[in-house]
Amino acid sequence: MANVLLSEAEKTYILHGIQKDYRNDGRTNRDYRPMELETDIVVHAMGSARLRLANTDILVAVKADIDVPSPDRPKEGKIEFFVDCSANATPDFEGRGGEELATEISNTLSKAYLSQQAFDLTPLCILAKHQCWKLYVDILILECGGNLFDAVSLAVKAALYNTKLPRVSSAELDGGAMDIILSDDPYDCERLNIEAAPLLVTVCKIGDHCVVDPSAEEEECSAISVVIGVSRKGHKGSVTSIRTSGEGSFHADTLMKSLDLGVSAAAYLDKALLAALKADEENNTKPLGEKEIFGFLK
């Protein structure tokens, strides 16, 4: 994460505010900052989204190819995440710093998405054991202003919602072999079911209290944080992955409270994101370059 230089007085001010459930930007410990969302902005991608959370700016593009299913999952498609940290986002991303963070984010996303409780890869299978769709999710971190994991997961889910795959039909060739035909009609496509696609929620422990959506300054005051992958089906939330970072430790009771806070925050985020995506799709029908930025959680 981006390192922010804070004096001891500034750290004490932030800590005392969190103890009173009042952060230095006016939020409570459970509140997220406003976000801005754009979709369908990368011309040659099958789906794309750009999300801004305060000073954090994330661009995601989804592409797809025909591949062979994994032997251990013959009836499922595949999904892979690639993260690139722009050197302009923060000086910390120059050299190996950006590579290490990119690996952490892609590994965390992969673990959250490959859980049996999360994203259903079965619809991506075209012909069991033989052909499937493989999704390549390219993530570019344009600017880093804290809370990267949450912002990336929101942008990824928005891009997957925006993704349209060509409809596939099959034809039998001489000898009984099967050939697949991809529709070249841009309106003859299939959408992904992203209802259960997980979100990552970062719960930051500062002093004896936990907060969501930590700013870069708050991250600097934290000894430990936990990134929780949460998948929702209907009204139920399931934890799909847990990742801790930092040199501190969680008491068992504090960790359980953090998980509860993460699950409830994910429910709130998921509802707000899906509502924003649907409203953006229905109302923002202008061509590329003229679309309006859609804000939510304002």
Side-chain angles (χ1 to χ4, degrees), residues 63-77:
K63 298 180 181 179
D65 279 331
I66 303 295
D67 201 0
V68 179
S70 300
D72 56 333
R73 293 190 172 190
K75 297 182 180 180
E76 295 183 6

Side-chain angles (χ1 to χ4, degrees), residues 17-202:
I18 288 172
Q19 288 174 345
K20 297 177 181 178
D21 197 23
Y22 189 82
R23 294 151 84 174
N24 60 350
D25 55 8
R27 292 181 290 152
T28 71
N29 295 346
R30 304 174 68 90
D31 289 339
Y32 271 76
R33 290 166 289 181
M35 304 182 199
E36 291 181 340
L37 176 69
E38 296 175 86
T39 59
D40 203 20
I41 58 173
V42 179
V43 176
H44 299 294
M46 292 183 172
S48 59
R50 184 174 183 175
L51 185 129
R52 298 177 183 87
L53 170 62
N55 292 330
T56 295
D57 194 353
I58 310 294
L59 176 64
V60 178
V62 180
K63 298 180 181 179
D65 279 331
I66 303 295
D67 201 0
V68 179
S70 300
D72 56 333
R73 293 190 172 190
K75 297 182 180 180
E76 295 183 6
K78 299 177 179 179
I79 184 169
E80 285 191 7
F81 301 94
F82 302 91
V83 181
D84 185 20
C85 300
S86 169
N88 295 326
T90 170
D92 296 340
F93 287 174
E94 295 180 2
R96 294 191 57 82
E99 293 179 12
E100 292 172 0
L101 179 60
T103 301
E104 286 181 26
I105 294 174
S106 60
N107 288 345
T108 304
L109 280 169
S110 296
K111 184 177 289 187
Y113 267 79
L114 292 179
S115 166
Q116 296 291 338
Q117 302 167 334
F119 193 56
D120 185 10
L121 294 170
T122 305
L124 295 177
C125 182
I126 299 170
L127 187 62
K129 299 182 181 180
H130 296 285
Q131 290 173 321
C132 69
W133 284 111
K134 183 175 183 178
L135 302 180
Y136 298 90
V137 183
D138 294 318
I139 302 156
L140 177 60
I141 299 174
L142 298 168
E143 192 172 355
C144 177
N147 202 15
L148 274 181
F149 285 86
D150 300 34
V152 165
S153 73
L154 285 161
V156 166
K157 187 160 185 172
L160 289 173
Y161 176 90
N162 182 244
T163 297
K164 302 174 182 67
L165 297 176
R167 194 174 300 278
V168 179
S169 57
S170 59
E172 187 172 343
L173 302 177
D174 294 339
M178 298 296 293
D179 186 29
I180 63 169
I181 303 170
L182 301 181
S183 173
D184 55 5
D185 183 349
Y187 295 99
D188 187 23
C189 57
E190 296 179 342
R191 303 288 293 271
L192 301 174
N193 182 0
I194 55 94
E195 179 188 5
L199 292 177
L200 301 178
V201 175
T202 302

Side-chain angles (χ1 to χ4, degrees), residues 153 274 298:
S153 73
L274 291 176
K298 287 193 172 184

